[in-house]
Amino acid sequence: MAGDAETSSLGQPVEIGKIEQELKKLWRESEGAMTRASLINLAIYSEEAGSLERNTQLISKITESHACRALVIGVDRKSKEDRVDAWINAHCHMTRAGSKQICSEQISFLLEGPCTKFLPSIVFSHLDSDLPLYLWWQDEFHDPMDAQLWAWVDRLIFDSQTWKKFATQMQLVETAQQEAKQRIVLCDLNWTRLDKVRYAIAQFFDHPASHHHFSKMESVSVDFAPGFKSTAILLIGWLAGQLNWKTNQQQMNGSCRFLDANKRKIDIELHERPGTPIGKVVLNSTEVKFCVTPAKCGDLLEISRSGQLEAAIPQMMPAQSNNAVDLITQELLRGGPRRVYLSAVNSVRPLL
């Protein structure tokens, strides 16, 4: 149960049936000084204690660049007593001209006990109409999935890095997508976490003259931080999906093997080491070594290629932030159905 100290940042307590009425009153009282803005509905679901306050702080930062109606949902499924509480709030940020504040609404819900099964009707009746719904699900998914819930969702955001059983969770997510008739776009923050590393690797092969190395790859090694093995495997999945590699040897002691389209073997080595989620990445062809590694300054990647007749000349590229606000902000900027992500998952599904 949330106490007063925990809910002080959530804003004004309101009755469930008077949420819209109280929001209109809030804007009437602030007319002229503030302008309400909303491009999407962003709902955040969590079952962790204290998540309402923590996610309110995240929304405050997210709305600096993404105006939305935020629905912050805290759930306690284990409680035996029903409880439904709600709060309203507004996150306001000055325009660049500095003349007016642009504000995003937040509605917070605390659901406890058996009434949590009514989450779709209690919460999603308060969506900003005609705007898409992005649902950020911060916990593991439950079986069975609520078909009524997925009927509302346009984009489902999750982080597979936290999953204990990837195959089970992915099956539930894909079931939700099927029940929504493929309308839901799957947005994995564990994939977003790989953006800058993937860009750094891809730039080695921007010019068609470098494409002959694809058929000459011999090995790939990836360093990853404790807890981020699935992130490293997704990176391998991206390479496999793009280069048409197939699993040849299942994972053993951090190693596995793929076959390319010509049945050539590519050895994969995964090493757990302290540091950033993805550390040093090395691709070895028969002629050239391609290397991407975190720079010592921490916010850059050092990239280089070298060979028998080619000395390494390091260059710098931006590194990926692992901050939750940065990851979700990157994700909210994107469109499209995530076909490359789904290809990567399918390429390494047996390894995850």
Side-chain angles (χ1 to χ4, degrees):
M1 183 175 293
D4 292 341
E6 293 175 317
T7 61
S8 59
S9 67
L10 302 181
Q12 174 187 336
V14 294
E15 296 179 24
I16 292 290
K18 296 183 178 180
I19 289 176
E20 295 299 331
Q21 178 181 333
E22 292 297 327
L23 282 172
K24 290 177 181 177
K25 181 180 176 181
L26 176 67
W27 296 118
R28 280 199 306 270
E29 293 173 350
S30 308
E31 192 173 359
M34 301 189 301
T35 298
R36 173 183 172 274
S38 183
L39 298 176
I40 61 171
N41 294 287
L42 175 60
I44 305 181
Y45 175 97
S46 177
E47 297 177 13
E48 285 192 17
S51 65
L52 284 178
E53 187 174 46
R54 182 178 65 255
N55 285 328
T56 294
Q57 295 172 356
L58 287 178
I59 288 293
S60 178
K61 295 177 181 177
I62 291 168
T63 53
E64 291 180 11
S65 53
H66 295 279
C68 63
R69 172 175 279 195
L71 294 92
V72 178
I73 308 157
V75 172
D76 181 359
R77 294 160 57 93
K78 298 178 181 178
S79 176
K80 296 181 179 180
E81 299 293 328
D82 279 336
R83 179 185 178 187
V84 181
D85 289 336
W87 297 260
I88 60 171
N89 199 354
H91 300 281
C92 299
H93 307 282
M94 294 297 295
T95 61
R96 292 185 179 180
S99 58
K100 186 174 287 190
Q101 294 188 83
I102 302 297
C103 300
S104 295
E105 298 169 332
Q106 175 180 321
I107 308 172
S108 303
F109 297 92
L110 176 63
L111 308 180
E112 295 182 353
C115 72
T116 57
K117 65 184 178 182
F118 299 115
L119 181 142
S121 57
I122 292 174
V123 175
F124 297 130
S125 59
H126 298 287
L127 295 176
D128 206 342
S129 61
D130 300 326
L131 293 179
L133 170 59
Y134 291 20
L135 174 58
W136 181 5
W137 195 277
Q138 294 181 337
D139 290 272
E140 296 211 344
F141 296 96
H142 303 288
D143 190 14
M145 302 285 267
D146 189 336
Q148 183 186 0
L149 173 62
W150 307 119
W152 294 91
V153 179
D154 295 283
R155 292 184 178 269
L156 177 60
I157 302 170
F158 53 91
D159 190 347
S160 66
Q161 183 267 332
T162 63
W163 291 351
K164 296 177 182 177
K165 295 182 178 180
F166 186 97
T168 301
Q169 289 293 298
M170 197 64 192
Q171 185 177 10
L172 290 173
V173 167
E174 290 171 338
T175 298
Q177 190 181 41
Q178 291 168 6
E179 290 178 347
K181 297 180 172 60
Q182 304 296 323
R183 186 174 64 87
I184 296 177
V185 176
L186 305 182
C187 307
D188 187 353
L189 297 181
N190 207 21
W191 178 250
T192 310
R193 201 172 274 118
L194 290 169
D195 278 3
K196 298 299 192 295
V197 171
R198 291 192 298 118
Y199 296 157
I201 294 173
Q203 61 82 37
F204 286 125
F205 309 102
D206 279 345
H207 198 284
S210 63
H211 291 185
H212 69 280
H213 290 292
F214 294 151
S215 62
K216 299 178 181 179
M217 286 294 168
E218 295 183 330
S219 65
V220 179
S221 68
V222 180
D223 293 349
F224 62 91
F228 290 91
K229 187 174 185 179
S230 64
T231 317
I233 293 175
L234 277 179
L235 180 61
I236 298 300
W238 170 65
L239 290 169
Q242 297 304 102
L243 300 177
N244 197 27
W245 297 349
K246 305 298 180 185
T247 307
N248 175 245
Q249 181 178 306
Q250 296 293 323
Q251 189 172 355
M252 296 190 326
N253 300 321
S255 301
C256 60
R257 179 173 289 166
F258 284 79
L259 295 178
D260 68 12
N262 298 316
K263 305 300 182 183
R264 295 181 68 259
K265 296 176 181 178
I266 301 100
D267 291 319
I268 308 297
E269 295 285 341
L270 303 178
H271 305 283
E272 182 178 304
R273 293 193 172 95
T276 56
I278 295 297
K280 186 175 182 178
V281 180
V282 177
L283 287 74
N284 288 302
S285 78
T286 54
E287 301 170 354
V288 177
K289 172 183 175 181
F290 304 93
C291 183
V292 177
T293 188
K296 293 181 180 180
C297 61
D299 60 351
L300 292 171
L301 294 174
E302 184 178 292
I303 62 171
S304 63
R305 52 174 284 169
S306 58
Q308 290 184 341
L309 302 176
E310 182 179 3
I313 303 176
Q315 297 178 328
M316 297 297 178
M317 289 185 68
Q320 177 65 53
S321 167
N322 194 39
N323 176 275
V325 173
D326 293 336
L327 289 173
I328 196 71
T329 297
Q330 281 178 238
E331 194 56 57
L332 293 177
L333 287 170
R334 290 182 169 158
R338 305 297 194 276
R339 292 191 181 93
V340 176
Y341 165 70
L342 296 174
S343 173
V345 169
N346 288 328
S347 296
V348 290
R349 196 179 289 261
L351 306 178
L352 287 163

